[in-house]
């Protein structure tokens, strides 16, 4: 049975790129239908990414507190790890949020289908619903927000590795890895290795390039490498060639380093080599210039102005909070019938790495500005001189980059405690073009790391 309907907006995907637009449009009186194979909101972020991984991460950090006890004049023992209970905590948080999202759907006019939508033509999508009926929607606008999935290296034995899905999905039952090998020193590999080491694992990270967090500001990468190398075994310039199952049941990861063939044993291998966009079924019918991702402009429009592709599917800024921002920009463009002034400001989207210690950044680096022949002044504030960092016995730094001509902030990098929290106001400052003078004369609470913004801004003398 096929049910045909005419609607205003059809949305494929209920993650960060899809559901903010869905609610914004529905609240504005548009008829909106959304389809997602998970059957709820949140996409991979809630299903197996940001939310569950940070639930485990916070459990791991709680266990490290006794390591700091001597600094504060305290004594105590380090707690034992009940891995099943840690996973149960993660499941509790996921389930709580899924229940919250179900209530949001029920309270809205949104029509939601659990299922995969298939593009039929530029304005038509078919969705096979759970009860067997086929829905065919003819829409004025399409929003393609099908997200991303873990990238898997095309190497022999790749199927023996696990991904973030296996660790963090709802109901995950992966045994605790006593000897973890993470392939890839991007944020997923480093975060997972860091939290599992805090919980008692021996962790090794293999990175094919010459430094962790490839492509990131070198000062940030070097700081994090040095800090994590005290707890993790980090091998750079290590090209993984195969994964094998040994006679004893253990895994053997083979890699090449400096022209020499090497191997390392593990009981768990994490494939953490990045993420890749998931293209909607039938997307080829649209005639879009697709090369593993969907090209969009800063209003998230494809070459068809009534079709939008916010979030990971466009590959421009593959972060949940960026997807939410993009989703709202797309919704506003639809509501204004393409005449609005809302655009996506990709440079002001902050990036955080939830390792221990944290690092975060936003905007341009000195090298990027130099490539644009942009004269800049950088100012670094060392945690060694910061009151709060001294209280916690922590090292780190905060670096601000200003355009010399205008004095406006164009980039920031933070390494150390509270980096993930502190990057948000700096992202706002980058977005607003806030100047060094304004940042110099703002009152930040004492004694907090945020005071470093004042100190760094004053030091440039603009």
């Amino acid at each position: 049975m096929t049910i045909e309907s005419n609607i205003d907006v059809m949305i494929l995907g209920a993650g960060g790129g899809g559901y903010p637009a869905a609610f914004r449009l529905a609240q504005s009186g548009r008829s909106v239908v959304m389809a997602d194979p998970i059957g709820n909101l949140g996409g991979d972020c809630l299903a197996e990414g940001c939310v569950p991984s940070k639930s485990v991460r916070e459990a791991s950090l709680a266990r490290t507190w006794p390591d700091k006890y001597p600094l504060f004049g305290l004594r105590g023992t380090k707690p034992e790890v009940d891995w099943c209970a840690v996973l149960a905590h993660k499941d509790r948080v996921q389930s709580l949020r899924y229940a919250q999202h179900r209530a949001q759907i029920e309270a809205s006019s949104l029509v939601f289908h659990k299922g995969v939508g298939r593009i039929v033509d530029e304005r038509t999508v078919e969705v096979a619903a759970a009860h067997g009926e086929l829905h065919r929607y003819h829409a004025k606008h399409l929003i393609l927000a099908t997200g991303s999935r873990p990238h898997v290296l095309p190497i022999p034995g790749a199927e023996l590795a696990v991904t973030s899905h296996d660790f963090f999905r709802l109901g995950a039952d992966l045994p605790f890895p006593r000897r973890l090998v993470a392939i890839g020193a991007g944020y997923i590999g480093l975060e997972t290795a860091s939290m599992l080491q805090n919980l008692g694992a021996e962790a090794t990270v293999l990175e094919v390039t010459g430094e962790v967090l490839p492509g990131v500001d070198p000062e940030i990468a070097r700081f994090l490498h040095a800090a994590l190398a005290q707890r993790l075994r980090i091998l750079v310039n290590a090209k993984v060639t195969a994964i094998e199952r040994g006679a004893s049941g253990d895994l053997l990861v083979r890699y090449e380093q400096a022209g020499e063939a090497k191997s390392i044993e593990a009981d768990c291998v994490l494939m953490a080599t990045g993420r890749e966009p998931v293209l909607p079924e039938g997307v080829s019918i649209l005639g879009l210039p697709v090369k593993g991702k969907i090209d969009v402009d800063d209003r998230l429009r494809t070459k068809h102005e009534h079709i939008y592709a916010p979030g990971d599917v466009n590959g421009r800024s593959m972060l949940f909070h960026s997807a939410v921002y993009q989703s709202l920009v797309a919704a506003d463009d639809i509501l204004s019938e393409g005449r609005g002034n809302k655009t996506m400001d990709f440079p002001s989207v902050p990036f955080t790495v939830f390792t221990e210690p944290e690092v975060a950044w936003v905007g341009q680096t000195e090298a990027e500005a130099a490539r644009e022949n942009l004269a800049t002044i950088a100012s670094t504030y060392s945690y060694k001189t910061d009151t709060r960092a001294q209280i916690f016995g922590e090292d780190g730094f905060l670096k601000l980059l200003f355009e010399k001509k205008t004095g406006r902030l164009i980039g920031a990098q933070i390494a150390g405690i509270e980096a993930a929290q502190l990057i948000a106001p700096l992202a706002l400052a980058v977005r607003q073009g806030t100047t060094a003078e304004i940042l110099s004369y703002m009152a930040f609470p004492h004694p907090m790391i945020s005071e470093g913004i004042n100190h760094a801004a004053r030091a440039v003398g603009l």
Side-chain angles (χ1 to χ4, degrees):
M1 177 182 177
T2 301
I3 303 172
E4 304 223 15
S5 306
N6 294 315
I7 60 172
D8 292 320
V9 186
M10 180 71 215
I11 302 177
L12 300 182
Y19 80 79
F23 287 118
R24 173 71 63 84
L25 292 163
Q27 288 165 2
S28 298
R30 302 301 195 272
S31 53
V32 181
V33 177
M34 185 159 55
D36 187 277
I38 293 175
N40 206 325
L41 310 181
D44 282 345
C45 174
L46 178 51
E48 56 191 61
C50 330
V51 175
S53 67
K54 301 314 172 286
S55 299
V56 175
R57 185 248 188 181
E58 295 304 323
S60 81
L61 292 186
R63 186 173 186 260
T64 66
W65 265 102
D67 296 337
K68 286 282 189 183
Y69 284 177
L71 176 68
F72 296 105
L74 305 174
R75 295 187 184 90
T77 58
K78 199 164 188 173
E80 296 181 4
V81 175
D82 183 340
W83 177 240
C84 290
V86 171
L87 294 179
H89 167 64
K90 171 195 71 65
D91 286 355
R92 181 189 65 80
V93 176
Q94 285 171 290
S95 297
L96 180 64
R97 295 204 59 77
Y98 276 133
Q100 178 179 324
H101 287 322
R102 282 193 294 272
Q104 287 178 282
I105 294 171
E106 292 169 1
S108 75
S109 62
L110 175 69
V111 175
F112 188 95
H113 292 295
K114 179 179 181 180
V116 176
R118 183 178 67 85
I119 298 168
V120 177
D121 60 38
E122 291 182 14
R123 295 188 184 273
T124 308
V125 170
E126 289 183 345
V127 182
H131 299 295
E133 67 272 14
L134 180 68
H135 291 267
R136 182 177 293 127
Y137 291 102
H138 306 280
K140 296 176 184 177
H141 298 277
L142 302 183
I143 295 180
L144 313 179
T146 42
S148 65
R149 62 186 161 222
H151 172 72
V152 177
L153 286 180
I155 58 173
E159 71 281 358
L160 297 174
V162 300
T163 67
S164 54
H165 169 81
D166 301 284
F167 267 110
F168 303 120
R169 65 174 175 82
L170 188 63
D173 55 0
L174 197 69
F176 184 77
R178 294 294 171 187
R179 293 172 300 159
L180 173 78
V181 171
I183 303 175
Y187 74 96
I188 296 173
L190 293 179
E191 286 182 359
T192 307
S194 178
M195 69 179 76
L196 291 175
Q197 191 279 332
N198 282 339
L199 292 171
E202 295 179 5
T204 299
V205 181
L206 303 176
E207 171 54 42
V208 68
T209 70
E211 189 53 280
V212 303
L213 297 179
V216 172
D217 180 75
E219 193 172 359
I220 286 274
R222 287 193 297 267
F223 172 87
L224 189 60
H225 188 157
L228 291 179
Q230 299 176 43
R231 302 190 288 114
L232 311 176
R233 184 185 181 193
I234 301 174
L235 303 177
V236 297
N237 298 310
K239 180 182 179 180
V240 176
T241 56
I243 306 170
E244 300 173 1
R245 176 76 69 184
S248 63
D250 285 346
L251 297 172
L252 190 68
V253 181
R254 298 194 180 277
Y255 64 98
E256 295 175 356
Q257 192 178 43
E260 183 180 351
K262 300 180 179 181
S263 63
I264 183 171
E265 291 184 342
D267 57 14
C268 180
V269 177
L270 172 67
M271 188 71 70
T273 50
R275 297 184 65 84
E276 59 190 24
V278 174
L279 301 178
E281 289 190 14
V283 70
S284 59
I285 293 172
L286 302 178
L288 300 175
V290 174
K291 294 182 179 178
K293 58 186 178 63
I294 299 178
D295 290 339
V296 295
D297 63 15
D298 287 347
R299 293 187 182 184
L300 291 311
R301 298 177 300 188
T302 67
K303 77 170 188 177
H304 304 296
E305 292 191 353
H306 70 286
I307 301 178
Y308 299 76
D312 287 7
V313 73
N314 65 50
R316 294 187 66 176
S317 177
M318 298 174 73
L319 301 163
F320 181 83
H321 50 280
S322 179
V324 170
Y325 182 3
Q326 295 176 52
S327 188
L328 294 173
V329 169
D332 286 339
D333 201 63
I334 291 172
L335 292 173
S336 69
E337 298 181 350
R339 295 191 295 269
N341 59 3
K342 297 287 195 306
T343 57
M344 181 65 196
D345 183 31
F346 286 102
S348 69
V349 175
F351 200 112
T352 55
V353 181
F354 292 92
T355 45
E356 174 70 2
E358 299 173 348
V359 297
W361 60 90
V362 67
Q364 291 181 290
T365 64
E366 291 175 90
E368 290 168 342
R371 286 195 289 270
E372 296 181 8
N373 295 317
L374 191 65
T376 61
I377 296 179
S379 180
T380 299
Y381 173 78
S382 173
Y383 278 20
K384 293 183 186 301
T385 64
D386 182 83
T387 306
R388 185 167 176 80
Q390 290 168 349
I391 291 172
F392 284 93
E394 294 285 342
D395 194 8
F397 66 89
L398 180 155
K399 182 167 68 174
L400 304 183
L401 183 66
F402 298 94
E403 183 183 19
K404 192 171 185 179
K405 181 179 180 180
T406 63
R408 66 187 179 92
L409 183 71
I410 62 171
Q413 295 88 39
I414 310 173
I417 59 171
E418 299 172 3
Q421 285 282 7
L422 195 53
I423 201 63
L426 291 172
L428 178 61
V430 169
R431 172 70 185 272
Q432 297 298 110
T434 305
T435 64
E437 181 181 14
I438 291 174
L439 292 175
S440 296
Y441 287 92
M442 288 185 66
F444 288 92
H446 176 77
M448 301 299 289
I449 299 289
S450 58
E451 291 177 294
I453 297 174
N454 289 140
H455 288 278
R458 290 171 191 153
V460 299
L462 290 174

